[in-house]
Amino acid sequence: MNREAEGESGAGAVVLRRARAADARAAADVWLRSFAAALPTVVRPRSDADVRAYFRHVVVERYETWLAEGAGGEVAGVMVLEGEELSQLYLAPERRGCGIGDRFVALAKERRADGLSLWTFQVNAPARRFYERHGFTPVEWTDGDRNEEREPDVRYVWRPRPDPNPTP
């Protein structure tokens, strides 16, 4: 399933599509660049090679992985759904603020209409504002003892609103 860019044209246009095995390297590279730009104080416990191997052997093969692909074929973002969890949403640093994240969240909500959860680091204030703007509510704060980075994090949950006018 491709989701064409809505209201975009030219170099800024992106298509959201399911990732294929051949996309693993490009998806991992976006993750690496985005993590470095957004979380410069967070220590990554895995090397670049380990992250690329994880995307190649686990992420793209086992989970519902989506890419934002630019008109020139470049990967502008990656989103991963693991069951009811939005486990990854990373954008190329130069593509932040262009609406791609909004489109990914809309797609995630469409794909998991009963609800979603996610974790983000407490230090990532822009991500926290982004998720809260999209209706996610913080429900759990930790000291980071359960994540590899040992970084305090927060769990968010989104549930659809009940239909105010249900049909009998």
Side-chain angles (χ1 to χ4, degrees):
M1 167 204 268
N2 280 353
R3 297 177 56 89
E4 297 298 323
E6 297 170 11
E8 296 183 61
S9 61
V14 297
V15 173
L16 303 185
R17 67 168 178 83
R18 287 293 293 269
R20 299 179 291 269
D23 299 316
R25 170 79 185 228
D29 287 345
V30 165
W31 187 98
L32 289 164
R33 290 178 47 231
S34 180
F35 193 101
L39 301 164
T41 63
V42 177
V43 177
R44 279 193 303 119
R46 300 190 182 270
S47 70
D48 290 4
D50 289 341
V51 169
R52 289 183 183 110
Y54 178 67
F55 268 80
R56 184 175 54 253
H57 298 297
V58 178
V59 173
V60 175
E61 288 186 15
R62 295 185 191 170
Y63 304 123
E64 185 176 337
T65 305
W66 290 81
L67 300 180
E69 183 175 67
E74 78 283 357
V75 174
V78 60
M79 178 184 76
V80 181
L81 297 170
E82 282 184 53
E84 300 306 311
E85 184 174 4
L86 174 53
S87 68
Q88 312 280 337
L89 197 166
Y90 288 88
L91 303 176
E94 68 277 7
R95 298 306 290 266
R96 287 182 61 192
C98 297
I100 298 168
D102 298 329
R103 291 179 58 209
F104 270 144
V105 169
L107 176 61
K109 288 178 176 181
E110 177 184 306
R111 305 285 299 168
R112 302 297 188 271
D114 290 335
L116 289 162
S117 67
L118 62 88
W119 289 92
T120 193
F121 296 120
Q122 292 179 28
V123 298
N124 196 348
R128 292 179 33 219
R129 284 191 303 273
F130 172 81
Y131 291 121
E132 289 170 13
R133 183 167 50 87
H134 284 281
F136 286 81
T137 304
V139 296
E140 181 180 2
W141 301 77
T142 80
D143 61 4
D145 66 342
R146 292 181 291 184
N147 64 55
E148 290 182 317
E149 296 82 1
R150 299 294 180 238
E151 182 72 30
D153 55 6
V154 56
R155 181 171 165 260
Y156 280 87
V157 172
W158 168 79
R159 296 286 177 249
R161 292 187 179 153
D163 186 349
N165 303 311
T167 55

